[in-house]
Amino acid sequence: AGWLVGMRQAVWVGLASAAWYVALALSTQFGWWTPTNITSHWNLLIAQLGVLGGAFMAFRLVLKAYQQHVDKVQTLNRTLEEKLQALSDQDDALRMSERRVMQILKASPLPIIVAEFETGVGLEINPAWEQAFQRLRADVIGKTPVQLGFWRDQAHREQFKQEFGTQRRVSGYEVTFTLPDGAERTFLLSSERFMYGELDCVMTISMDVTERKLLEQQLKDLNATLEQRVLEIGRASCRE
């Protein structure tokens, strides 16, 4: 009975049956009820119909409880299947995301780093990043750029994070990093936030513009020198 209708229902049925037997025994002992032999066929038929009716009602209760039990099991199975399917889809999406990230890292000639957005902890870099920033992959993974000495302090990196605002990308953010050999290099950072599994991450592409900035400064200095020479020639012409 416990397997069909559940232990709670089986216990209640057992208690009700025991109470019924006790009530019959007490009624017989104290003379409240005296069993009599059934001599009439109609009385026998009525008793049999009563027993069959009670058995039918009990059987219906058992079937109903069993059906409820089956429905619960089926609902639980469907829920488990949906959860397993959702986990499978998440795993597939995560593997696809990982493959795409690795393809981008391997194919790009520009330095790229993938890091956690909030902490900046490095998750993956490509060979071009190793060469540009003079750091091996083993020295970068699991560490923040502040620990590696690129950002002056955490507040400096927070300024970079604020550039995202309500957008999920930053383009052309200029910053100067000090490399391990002591040289200062100017980079333009282009970053985009994305979900890497359950992690909120950022992929940053760096472009070294140190030489370009140097040439721009030289051109500015040259223009200033030429303008000064023109002014001097003009003044000399006026005096003549």
Side-chain angles (χ1 to χ4, degrees):
W3 179 79
L4 288 174
V5 301
M7 289 303 299
R8 180 179 297 179
Q9 289 82 353
V11 169
W12 281 111
V13 170
L15 290 176
S17 299
W20 177 249
Y21 286 125
V22 170
L24 288 177
L26 291 176
S27 298
T28 302
Q29 182 176 357
F30 291 102
W32 298 336
W33 174 72
T34 303
T36 59
N37 295 326
I38 299 177
T39 57
S40 172
H41 293 292
W42 289 106
N43 291 339
L44 179 61
L45 180 59
I46 292 173
Q48 290 176 344
L49 289 175
V51 172
L52 290 175
F56 177 74
M57 294 299 296
F59 184 69
R60 284 195 61 185
L61 290 175
V62 170
L63 284 181
K64 183 178 179 180
Y66 177 72
Q67 186 61 46
Q68 291 176 348
H69 178 71
V70 170
D71 292 341
K72 289 181 180 179
V73 172
Q74 290 178 345
T75 302
L76 180 60
N77 287 336
R78 285 194 296 269
T79 303
L80 290 176
E81 289 177 357
E82 291 173 357
K83 289 183 178 180
L84 289 174
Q85 185 61 44
L87 289 175
S88 178
D89 293 342
Q90 290 179 0
D91 290 340
D92 292 341
L94 177 58
R95 285 193 292 269
M96 180 64 70
S97 177
E98 290 175 348
R99 284 196 295 267
R100 289 177 179 174
V101 169
M102 294 307 299
Q103 288 173 355
I104 294 173
L105 291 175
K106 292 179 180 179
S108 176
L110 295 175
I112 299 179
I113 182 171
V114 176
E116 293 183 17
F117 177 73
E118 291 296 332
T119 63
V121 172
L123 301 176
E124 193 58 75
I125 61 175
N126 66 345
W129 198 97
E130 289 182 300
Q131 182 177 359
F133 289 91
Q134 303 174 9
R135 292 280 188 176
L136 296 177
R137 180 180 181 278
D139 298 329
V140 175
I141 305 304
K143 295 182 180 178
T144 68
V146 177
Q147 292 173 328
L148 295 172
F150 293 122
W151 298 99
R152 292 191 302 270
D153 49 37
Q154 186 61 34
H156 193 198
R157 184 179 181 275
E158 289 297 325
Q159 294 177 1
F160 172 64
K161 287 174 57 179
Q162 291 174 3
E163 291 294 321
F164 285 86
T166 58
Q167 305 297 321
R168 295 186 65 83
R169 63 181 59 185
V170 169
S171 180
Y173 184 82
E174 184 175 313
V175 63
T176 299
F177 289 139
T178 301
L179 301 184
D181 63 1
E184 290 190 347
R185 308 290 296 183
T186 302
F187 293 90
L188 289 182
L189 306 182
S190 295
S191 303
E192 183 164 353
R193 292 175 64 180
F194 68 103
M195 294 305 297
Y196 193 56
E198 296 182 354
L199 293 177
D200 184 9
C201 297
V202 58
M203 176 182 289
T204 301
I205 301 176
S206 305
M207 180 179 294
D208 191 340
V209 294
T210 305
E211 282 73 18
R212 192 185 78 181
K213 297 287 291 184
L214 181 60
L215 289 175
E216 289 176 353
Q217 187 60 45
Q218 291 175 349
L219 286 174
K220 289 181 181 179
D221 294 342
L222 180 58
N223 287 333
T225 301
L226 291 175
E227 289 176 358
Q228 183 65 30
R229 291 291 300 275
V230 170
L231 289 175
E232 291 175 355
I233 293 173
R235 290 171 183 171
S237 300
C238 290
R239 286 196 294 270
E240 293 178 357

